Amino acid sequence: MIVTFLGTTLLLFWYFGAFSYGRPQLQNPTPHEPNRPNATLTVTLPGYGSFRGTQLVTSLKKTTTFSSPVDAWLDVQYSTQPVGNDRFAPVTWPPAFDGVKDASTFGPACWQNVYSPLLQSEECLSINVFRPSSVAMDQKLPILVYLHGGSFVSGSHRSFDGAIFVKKSEQPVMVITVQYRLGALGTLPSNFMEEEGLLNLGIRDQRMMLEFLQNYVEYFGGDPNKITLGGQSAGGHSVGIHLFHNYGEDAGKPLFQQAILSSGSPTARAFPGVDYALYQRQVENFMDYVNCPTSPSSAALDCLRSAEVDDIQFISSSLYNAHNYNITWPWQPVSPGPLLEKRGSTSGEDGTFFKIPILISSTTNEGKAFAPQDLRTNAEYLAFWKTLTPGLSDQDFADLQTLYPDLQSSIEAATFISPQFDRLSAAYGDYSYICPVQDTAQRLSQAGAKVYKARFNTPNWAPAYMGIPHASDASYLNGQDGTQYPEIAETYAAYWASFVVNGDPNTYSKKGSAYWDTYEVGRGKAYAELVVNRPSEGGPVLEDERTAIRMEQCAWWRDKERAKRLNK
């Protein structure tokens, strides 16, 4: 045990240069936004307690001063907190308290990257509520509940500026941003966690938050019957997981009425089970570092709950970084597991998803944010896929060479960008985001739900060779200042806000904006999607999906039997 522990530790020290960094440093809180604490903004949640809110007068980045303030209640805990003996345990309803809690400042982020500048804590499961100060509390507003992205290992309340989205919406809306457990603390895919019923804790946190809102959001002036659950990347995948859980105890009982998925889908990337060999190795390395046994399960949990959180944070982020090159990330939700008893492709096939309006999008060059840039040969291209998708067959790997041909296999590139980069990033983008987004859009459209689909094609300061990589739309959809094309931020955020208000992105869109038609398959204006171009390319316009994405390749990735081999 000691030899293995030392080996794992030395390997990580070598890989990350940890001899110079040593252990994680104490983290300083980021400064609070200018605000105006306001005793009149006290809300009382029956059976829980009272919270005194504040009024925000600037955007999150402090680049904009508002003409009128935004009412906000910050760091409102929606559950018990996973500390002490409740670490690695599901959370439940928060305990009642007396008096009035201050809700005028943001709380800490959940534990994540060891070098993040954010103040971090295990006591992090909270929501932030934003609404216009000019609207009476008895006017119950439609709500955007936003789940941040970050590969299920990073992200926080600062991933989305709720106040600026509220200010820029033509119609009154409420925004709620959410934090949930991340990294190994959010999902430790192991046999002993499965035995104890403790898998997928992060997405179970999200579910607890949705139940909390059903009970309490009306007291903040929100309408619990007009909730749009939205998110980007891992947040979008999370939305997809909840959207495709119309079975079991949840059958016919959605906790939201609409959904927005930005580069997200329940079939995005892959969600293997605890028996996945790579996950077993990653968990073994994790347990070695914190010096805990893997059995019996009671001993494993007792040890983990008494371990230093700094050690958990360090090994959690270190193992993620060590597997980032091959995109074989640890700490992902697992299936089968709670809220993922069935994989997304299975729920899609049998129709066990909620048939509600959705707005869904991907970027043009999703994969360029992740694909290695130094692979130079076809053999290296194949090795990458065999590492990432070991369940594929020999014929599948042969297909991957045909579907994504090696156009420069004999060229030794003179630059640091490899001749395999465009090929690999196209294939990875299709596998992880573009084709799963199409799959979700088609499933819901064919089931009769209203679907609005987009291809985001505007850069945000990315180098030209990167095209429009993953998350290029993040600041635009939020309506933030400082984007490369501010007019696109105004237009795209307005589409989002209009959808939140009444399920149609056109009703309250910016004057002169292109009409965003519904996405349909096999009827009417089939395959219509909005392409969000930069202004010099005409801005947002309708296009035919069949001319914009790799349809043959998407059909290949979405094949029913292949999806099983991919753990989708």
Side-chain angles (χ1 to χ4, degrees), residues 33 61 90 119 122 125 176 203 236 315 343 355 373 392 415 433 458 510 513 535 565:
E33 283 66 38
K61 295 182 178 180
L119 177 69
E122 291 185 271
L125 302 186
I176 297 176
I203 57 174
I315 189 61
R343 293 200 174 101
K355 285 74 173 177
Q373 299 184 11
L392 291 182
T415 66
Y433 302 100
T458 298
K510 288 293 181 183
S513 297
R565 298 197 289 275

Side-chain angles (χ1 to χ4, degrees), residues 349 396 558-566:
E349 288 286 342
D396 289 330
R558 292 177 54 199
D559 174 79
K560 179 179 178 180
E561 294 305 315
R562 189 169 293 108
K564 295 177 182 178
R565 298 197 289 275
L566 290 166

Side-chain angles (χ1 to χ4, degrees), residues 128-131 143-144 146 160 162 165-166 173-177:
N128 305 298
V129 182
F130 307 88
R131 77 189 308 274
I143 306 163
L144 170 62
Y146 187 83
F160 189 89
F165 191 89
V166 165
V173 296
M174 172 181 284
V175 171
I176 297 176
T177 57

Side-chain angles (χ1 to χ4, degrees), residues 455 495 514-515 529-533 537-544:
R455 176 172 67 90
Y495 280 132
Y515 182 79
E529 67 178 8
L530 189 77
V531 55
V532 185
N533 293 317
E537 296 175 351
V541 294
L542 279 181
E543 69 177 5
D544 187 322

